[in-house]
Amino acid sequence: MIKKDIPIKMAENISKESGYPEIVIFGYDPLTGRQHVTTYGQSKEQCKDAANAGNNLKKHLGWPDNLCHAKPNLKGKG
């Protein structure tokens, strides 16, 4: 099975259903070792907080430094 990135829309849906305004999703496939992190925040500040949390998670997991500086996509955030 081809592993896909976890869409931000999925994180947004979890946020709406759970009531948590900031979401960080970590996906891992033990067969391939592939890891993926998706973040979501309802506001601009929450997007930044979630992105920082995702970056810290990646650092803790030993990801290369250049992958631990993701910036949130703030299009359409009030």
Side-chain angles (χ1 to χ4, degrees), residues 60-77:
H60 180 74
L61 292 170
W63 287 35
D65 187 64
N66 65 314
L67 297 177
C68 299
H69 301 283
K71 302 288 184 203
N73 178 352
L74 300 176
K75 293 179 185 175
K77 296 290 178 185

Side-chain angles (χ1 to χ4, degrees), residues 27-64:
Y28 175 64
D29 179 353
L31 296 177
T32 64
R34 187 174 190 275
Q35 300 176 353
H36 180 73
V37 174
T38 296
T39 65
Y40 171 81
Q42 290 179 355
S43 70
K44 285 183 180 183
E45 283 305 311
Q46 291 163 340
C47 284
K48 292 174 187 176
D49 287 345
N52 285 336
N55 287 331
N56 286 327
L57 174 63
K58 292 184 283 187
K59 285 178 191 175
H60 180 74
L61 292 170
W63 287 35

